[in-house]
Amino acid sequence: MELWDQFTKLFTYSDLVIPAAQMGIYVIIINILMLISYYRACFITSLSFSFYWLFFLNQKNFVSAEGELTGGIYFYLIITILFMVALLVSFLNQKE
């Protein structure tokens, strides 16, 4: 249960700060993909950046002061990989 509480706390922080350069890269990629009508790629890009920022901004919850990985990192990685695989499979199974 502790892992679940740690995972849900990641989404409740009110002082999330995303670096402007990374946000600029994200906006440029999304705009280019939308201009050429790759909407599925936009969705995957948005999720990828979201998972990256969630990890980057919460590193202190995933790595202990001694530099060891906590149980939360494994839970986070499993959930992220499963979500991305499910997303890719659903996109591949959709008809145009």
Side-chain angles (χ1 to χ4, degrees):
M1 200 63 180
E2 181 180 326
L3 288 177
W4 180 252
D5 292 337
Q6 187 178 12
F7 186 72
T8 56
K9 285 181 185 178
L10 299 176
F11 297 99
T12 59
Y13 292 126
S14 61
D15 55 346
L16 295 178
V17 178
I18 299 171
Q22 293 177 6
M23 183 56 89
I25 293 169
Y26 169 74
V27 169
I28 289 168
I29 291 171
I30 289 295
N31 284 326
I32 291 170
L33 291 173
M34 290 187 89
L35 285 173
I36 58 178
S37 300
Y38 286 160
Y39 302 116
R40 292 178 186 169
C42 289
F43 189 63
I44 291 172
T45 303
S46 292
L47 287 176
S48 299
F49 268 88
S50 298
F51 285 132
Y52 165 73
W53 287 324
L54 184 64
F55 174 78
F56 184 75
L57 295 171
N58 293 289
Q59 278 182 336
K60 63 181 181 266
N61 295 324
F62 296 134
V63 180
S64 67
E66 295 83 29
E68 296 180 10
L69 300 177
T70 63
I73 187 70
Y74 301 113
F75 184 71
Y76 176 78
L77 287 174
I78 289 169
I79 294 296
T80 302
I81 290 169
L82 288 175
F83 193 86
M84 294 301 277
V85 167
L87 179 71
L88 290 172
V89 168
S90 70
F91 282 163
L92 291 173
N93 288 332
Q94 285 182 349
K95 295 180 181 177
E96 292 293 324

